[in-house]
Amino acid sequence: MFLSNHPNSVPVLQAAWHCASQSQNVRGLVLHAMAEWYMRGEPHDQARLSRILDVAQDLKVIILPIIFWS
């Protein structure tokens, strides 16, 4: 729901991403949800990929270490 263009998606995801008490758990869940949302769409869905990258940029996620070293 929050990965599609919901008007409150960025503030909600930012609050969850930067939550100090459970940041590692929440970040893992958000990243997993992004990957799952992309995989459930049409193959090579550029609109979903673009949305994921936009959300990641808004959250200031550093994606390269996550992709290459996980």
Side-chain angles (χ1 to χ4, degrees):
M1 174 177 179
F2 286 111
L3 290 175
S4 60
N5 276 332
H6 190 278
N8 295 323
S9 63
V10 172
V12 169
L13 289 172
Q14 282 179 337
W17 188 264
H18 297 292
C19 176
S21 63
Q22 296 291 324
S23 66
Q24 293 301 321
N25 293 336
V26 171
R27 289 178 181 184
L29 289 172
V30 170
L31 292 173
H32 180 75
M34 288 179 179
E36 187 73 24
W37 185 65
Y38 178 74
M39 290 174 27
R40 289 182 185 214
E42 294 294 320
H44 309 292
D45 187 350
Q46 295 300 311
R48 283 187 182 221
L49 181 58
S50 178
R51 178 64 181 154
I52 289 170
L53 292 174
D54 287 343
V55 169
Q57 184 176 6
D58 288 339
L59 296 176
K60 296 174 178 51
V61 176
I62 300 172
I63 294 180
L64 290 177
I66 294 167
I67 293 171
F68 293 115
W69 291 286
S70 58

